[in-house]
C-alpha cells in the first residue's frame, strides 16, 4: 500500500508544559486506506502496509501504550507473524524509531529512519518518492528545517509531505485511478476541545492529496469557528453535540 510517514515532535504548550505529539499519514492507489494503515496514540504512531496485517498497527500502538519501546513492540509482533516477508511496518515511540520492509514486498520498496520520523513505501515509482516525503517533512519540522513554522499544525505538514511524494511519482499503479489518503495526529496535551482536523481520511477519489488537503482546510475552519463560539459563550459550555 504505497507510502506513509510517522513522526514524533516535542513542543511546549500554551501553559509552558512540555508535550509530545505523534502523527501518521498515508496514501495509496486503493480505496479505504484510513481503515487499514494509520494508527496513533499519545505514546506513538505506527503504519502497516504492503500485505497489510492490521494487528501490527493496532497491537503495536497498544504495546506502546503499555510502555514498550517501538522497536521491541513491532519486532515482537513481526516475530509471531507468518507473513513477515510480505509486511512493511514502521513507526515512532516516545524515544525511538523503527522500520521494517520484508524481502517479498513489491518493488520499488524501502524505508528510511530519520531523527524523530520514519518513511516507508512499496509499489512506488522509485526511491526518490520516500526521499521527497522525508525532505518535505524535515524542511517543515521545528526546529530542524529552514522552512519550519511552529504555528503550522502537524496535520497540515503531514499532508504537505504526502504531496511531495505524490508529485515525485508516488504509487506506480496508474491503472488504478481510485485512491485514498488518511492522516492522524495525537498528543499528550490535555485539551478541552481537540482540533477537528487531527483525524481525517478520504476513502475513494482520483485526487487523494488535494481532497485530503481540502478536507483539512474545511475542518480547520470549522474548528476555529466552533472554538470562537464556545470560548466566547457566557456560560462557558462547550459540550454541545457536534453532530
Amino acid at each position: 500500500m504505497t507510502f506513509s510517514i510517522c513522526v514524533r515532535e516535542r513542543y511546549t504548550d500554551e501553559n509552558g508544559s512540555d508535550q509530545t505529539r505523534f502523527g501518521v499519514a498515508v496514501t495509496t492507489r486503493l480505496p479505504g486506506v484510513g481503515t487499514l494503515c494509520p494508527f496513533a496514540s499519545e505514546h506513538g504512531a505506527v503504519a502497516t502496509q504492503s500485505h497489510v496485517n492490521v494487528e501490527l498497527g493496532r497491537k503495536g500502538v497498544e504495546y506502546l501504550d503499555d510502555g514498550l519501546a517501538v522497536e521491541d513492540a513491532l519486532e515482537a509482533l513481526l516475530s509471531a507473524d507468518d507473513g513477515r516477508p510480505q509486511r512493511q511496518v514502521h513507526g515512532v515511540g516516545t524515544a525511538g524509531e523503527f522500520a521494517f520492509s520484508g524481502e517479498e514486498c513489491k518493488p520499488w520498496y524501502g524505508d528510511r529512519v530519520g531523527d524523530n520520523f520514519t518513511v516507508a513505501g512499496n509499489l512506488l515509482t522509485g526511491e526518490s518518492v520516500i526521499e521527497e516525503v522525508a525532505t518535505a517533512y524535515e524542511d517543515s519540522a521545528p526546529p530542524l528545517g529552514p522552512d519550519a513554522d511552529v504555528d503550522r499544525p502537524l496535520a497540515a505538514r503531514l499532508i504537505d509531505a504526502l504531496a511531495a511524494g505524490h508529485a515525485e511519482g508516488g504509487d506506480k499503479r496508474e491503472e488504478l485511478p481510485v485512491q485514498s489518503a488518511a492522516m492522524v495526529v495525537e498528543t499528550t496535551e490535555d485539551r478541552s476541545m481537540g482540533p477537528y482536523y487531527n483525524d481525517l481520511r478520504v476513502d475513494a477519489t482520483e485526487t487523494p492529496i488535494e481532497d485530503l488537503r481540502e478536507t483539512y482546510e474545511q475542518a480547520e475552519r470549522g474548528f476555529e469557528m466552533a472554538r470562537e463560539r464556545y470560548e466566547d459563550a457566557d456560560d462557558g459550555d462547550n459540550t454541545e453535540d457536534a453532530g
Side-chain angles (χ1 to χ4, degrees):
M1 275 193 181
T2 197
F3 61 95
S4 55
I5 179 171
C6 296
V7 309
R8 174 185 63 247
E9 293 184 348
R10 295 183 174 88
Y11 67 101
T12 303
D13 64 21
E14 295 178 353
N15 298 318
S17 299
D18 293 335
Q19 305 289 351
T20 306
R21 56 186 166 230
F22 297 94
V24 52
V26 58
T27 185
T28 188
R29 280 187 176 271
L30 290 171
V33 72
T35 68
L36 299 174
C37 177
F39 297 85
S41 75
E42 64 182 33
H43 298 103
V46 176
T48 173
Q49 50 201 55
S50 188
H51 283 258
V52 174
N53 179 352
V54 176
E55 291 302 296
L56 294 178
R58 182 180 296 117
K59 288 187 177 179
V61 167
E62 289 179 2
Y63 286 179
L64 296 180
D65 291 344
D66 289 338
L68 269 68
V70 64
E71 59 270 28
D72 294 335
L74 297 182
E75 275 288 9
L77 290 168
L78 284 166
S79 295
D81 185 359
D82 291 339
R84 178 186 176 109
Q86 298 177 314
R87 310 298 188 205
Q88 192 170 53
V89 60
H90 65 105
V92 295
T94 57
E97 303 84 26
F98 176 87
F100 170 82
S101 297
E103 65 270 20
E104 293 181 15
C105 291
K106 301 296 184 181
W108 186 91
Y109 72 87
D111 52 68
R112 175 176 168 183
V113 176
D115 291 335
N116 303 309
F117 74 90
T118 57
V119 183
N122 63 91
L123 282 166
L124 303 182
T125 57
E127 182 178 3
S128 60
V129 174
I130 65 169
E131 291 300 325
E132 286 300 311
V133 174
T135 297
Y137 172 69
E138 287 181 305
D139 284 349
S140 74
L144 300 176
D147 300 322
D149 182 352
V150 296
D151 295 324
R152 185 164 170 76
L154 175 56
R157 292 184 283 113
L158 288 174
I159 296 171
D160 291 343
L162 290 183
H166 195 69
E168 187 63 18
D171 189 316
K172 68 181 182 181
R173 296 169 292 179
E174 294 184 356
E175 73 279 8
L176 299 176
V178 180
Q179 306 169 59
S180 58
M183 175 275 303
V184 181
V185 173
E186 295 284 352
T187 177
T188 55
E189 187 175 351
D190 185 15
R191 296 167 170 169
S192 59
M193 177 183 280
Y196 302 157
Y197 51 75
N198 272 347
D199 188 351
L200 301 174
R201 42 190 275 199
V202 176
D203 283 337
T205 177
E206 295 190 14
T207 53
I209 309 303
E210 294 91 332
D211 290 1
L212 186 61
R213 191 187 303 280
E214 182 178 357
T215 301
Y216 163 79
E217 291 171 351
Q218 291 294 336
E220 182 185 39
R221 175 171 170 260
F223 171 68
E224 293 301 329
M225 294 172 66
R227 184 168 64 174
E228 180 179 350
R229 171 179 175 178
Y230 294 130
E231 286 184 351
D232 289 346
D234 290 338
D235 59 10
D237 182 11
N238 62 3
T239 60
E240 181 175 319
D241 184 9

